[in-house]
Amino acid sequence: MDNNADLKKSLSMGLEDALKAQLVAGENIIISLPGSFGEAFAVSDKRAFVVRDCDSGLNAECKVFSYPLPDVADITVASSGTSGYIELTLRTPVADAEQARVYFPSYDLGIFQRAVDYINKALSSTQMPQSTPAADISGAVGNKCPKCGVAVEEQSIFCVSCGEQLRQICSQCTSSSPVGSQYCSHCGRKFIAYNPHCPKCGSRIMRWMQYCPECGSMLQKICVACGASIQPDWTHCANCGRLIGSDRLDPRSAMNAQRRLQELRNSESQSSKPAEPPAPEPQQSASQMVAEDYNKRGLKYFENGELEQAVREFKTAVELEPENASYHCNLAVAYDENDDDEPAFAEYSKTLELDPNDLTALLSLGYMYNEHGEHSKAEGVWNKIIAIAPDSAEAQEVRDNLRHQGQL
């Protein structure tokens, strides 16, 4: 296989950063393929990598298992049913086979098989091809930019001539350190490099951005309770104190996350359309106007913790406008927060009947299934979230839940 460009896919930000932190000077990634939830397989011109999210809790970093290519005897692919895995056969076997294995959904079998064929062919010829990704950090050489040769100052982070990145940026305090630093020279914390390029489209981004302005993909892991950005090594959100990866999502937090996602969709939709004269607003019927008033009052009661009053207002809104999925979902969340499981389940189900893509309803319904021991049903609704909005806060919560479902 001469052209392997399609075997280099974008990974999630956490996996991408963990992988790049392992690279040494001059080492280039040739193949990178995302697997199932929180896993990835990558190959450089020197090593093969298995990258995997760690369990939430005291250690929030990703695990990276790397193997020099001369130690790899063979690579195979196995598939059955809805999933498969790629496995490295090492000349010195590891104690845990999972450390040399990456799982993937069955529909990705073709690309993983092509990757294996490509690597095995390259290994048999004892020569891996070279690749130079645009986003690799090479560092200044002799106070000159390694890309364009222009003179640069010793502490320069980017070349003023071509924009090449010359020093690593600490994602904790934003100061810079020499390439390869294990700890930040400014804050002293273990170095977690900030990547100033969007992992999906490669465009330049700023540290404060949560979404890429070019492609709209999520750039930072955010707290589902308050929306604040979360650093990879945090166990608790620094803004609201919520335990990251905890087993229960506050329904009101899910409502806020849903609102943020809808605002993003609206902004993307508006930015992709040419400017047009504002259209006259459609006239609402009297019942719609009244229903919205009841819904707003219900939200205020809910935010104040007055759940019985919130249920009463939401029920009236639903009676006046029974085809409004949002009103049904608000009522379901209020029931859920008040531990009224049966009516909550009914309202979540009605919400999804009207709007199958409502993330709040899918997320909460999955928790209800899981709490009643119906784990396969929980997986079914949660997997829909990953398919609908893979970069959303809800999808991040779901991936963590699926890894630890037996403990929930």
Side-chain angles (χ1 to χ4, degrees):
M1 178 176 174
D2 297 326
N3 183 10
N4 67 319
D6 61 334
L7 298 179
K8 194 171 181 181
K9 303 291 186 182
S10 297
L11 307 180
S12 68
M13 191 171 186
L15 297 179
E16 186 80 25
D17 288 346
L19 177 60
K20 285 189 174 182
Q22 296 292 318
L23 302 182
V24 298
E27 183 175 15
N28 300 311
I29 293 297
I30 296 166
I31 292 173
S32 59
L33 297 175
S36 295
F37 315 117
E39 297 186 1
F41 174 69
V43 177
S44 73
D45 47 6
K46 295 179 174 63
R47 293 179 288 172
F49 299 88
V50 173
V51 190
R52 184 173 293 127
D53 281 347
C54 277
D55 296 339
S56 60
L58 295 179
N59 185 2
E61 298 179 0
C62 296
K63 290 179 180 177
V64 181
F65 306 101
S66 64
Y67 308 99
L69 292 177
D71 291 348
V72 180
D74 189 26
I75 305 179
T76 56
V77 169
S79 178
S80 63
T82 60
S83 64
Y85 61 87
I86 189 170
E87 186 168 27
L88 304 175
T89 301
L90 304 171
R91 302 187 191 282
T92 304
V94 291
D96 184 358
E98 294 296 311
Q99 296 179 4
R101 184 179 293 175
V102 173
Y103 292 86
F104 57 84
S106 59
Y107 53 76
D108 279 341
L109 173 61
I111 194 167
F112 274 87
Q113 184 64 62
R114 288 195 289 114
V116 166
D117 293 342
Y118 174 80
I119 298 166
N120 283 334
K121 180 179 178 181
L123 288 174
S124 65
S125 65
T126 68
Q127 182 178 5
M128 291 293 287
Q130 301 291 320
S131 171
T132 306
D136 278 354
I137 303 173
S138 53
V141 179
N143 291 338
K144 290 185 178 181
C145 173
K147 185 175 182 180
C148 67
V150 169
V152 294
E153 295 183 5
E154 184 177 353
Q155 298 299 316
S156 294
I157 303 175
F158 297 96
C159 174
V160 296
S161 177
C162 67
E164 179 77 356
Q165 186 175 354
L166 306 175
R167 290 168 62 88
Q168 289 184 136
I169 304 171
C170 176
S171 63
Q172 312 278 341
C173 68
T174 73
S175 64
S176 67
S177 297
V179 175
S181 299
Q182 296 297 309
Y183 293 88
C184 176
S185 59
H186 179 74
C187 68
R189 301 197 69 178
K190 185 173 181 181
F191 206 97
I192 301 175
Y194 165 70
N195 179 10
H197 299 86
C198 172
K200 186 173 183 179
C201 69
S203 62
R204 179 62 59 83
I205 54 176
M206 304 300 289
R207 184 178 180 274
W208 51 266
M209 294 178 177
Q210 290 189 344
Y211 297 92
C212 175
E214 296 296 326
C215 67
S217 61
M218 180 176 284
L219 301 174
Q220 302 181 32
K221 184 177 181 180
I222 63 175
C223 174
V224 294
C226 68
S229 298
I230 297 173
Q231 296 298 340
D233 63 340
W234 290 1
T235 57
H236 290 77
C237 174
N239 185 56
C240 70
R242 179 179 185 269
L243 176 64
I244 297 169
S246 59
D247 61 357
R248 179 65 177 168
L249 179 66
D250 185 343
R252 73 185 69 188
S253 302
M255 293 175 68
N256 292 332
Q258 175 74 354
R259 290 196 196 102
R260 290 195 300 272
L261 182 65
Q262 188 59 50
E263 288 170 1
L264 174 64
R265 288 172 175 166
N266 293 340
S267 64
E268 288 178 340
S269 176
Q270 292 171 3
S271 63
S272 63
K273 294 179 181 179
E276 296 179 356
E281 294 185 2
Q283 295 296 318
Q284 288 185 310
S285 67
S287 63
Q288 288 176 320
M289 294 174 65
V290 173
E292 179 58 24
D293 290 338
Y294 279 104
N295 183 63
K296 289 179 179 178
R297 284 198 293 269
L299 290 171
K300 289 181 180 179
Y301 280 127
F302 185 88
E303 292 298 330
N304 292 331
E306 300 175 81
L307 299 178
E308 295 293 345
Q309 294 90 328
V311 166
R312 184 176 62 248
E313 299 295 325
F314 288 143
K315 283 180 69 175
T316 305
V318 165
E319 290 169 358
L320 290 170
E321 196 175 338
E323 299 304 309
N324 190 311
S326 178
Y327 295 167
H328 282 281
C329 189
N330 289 345
L331 177 56
V333 170
Y335 277 134
D336 197 352
E337 185 75 353
N338 205 32
D339 294 327
D340 292 335
D341 285 358
E342 188 172 343
F345 181 86
E347 290 300 325
Y348 283 135
S349 300
K350 183 61 178 179
T351 301
L352 294 174
E353 179 183 325
L354 296 170
D355 180 7
N357 295 337
D358 190 298
L359 300 188
T360 300
L362 288 168
L363 189 62
S364 300
L365 192 59
Y367 278 119
M368 295 192 75
Y369 279 134
N370 207 62
E371 289 167 0
H372 288 83
E374 299 181 88
H375 302 306
S376 61
K377 290 184 178 180
E379 290 179 10
V381 294
W382 280 344
N383 279 321
K384 288 181 182 179
I385 293 177
I386 296 175
I388 295 167
D391 294 330
S392 66
E394 291 88 345
Q396 292 181 13
E397 185 83 8
V398 162
R399 291 186 181 98
D400 188 60
N401 289 345
L402 290 172
R403 285 196 298 273
H404 310 290
Q405 189 180 47
Q407 304 169 18
L408 295 184

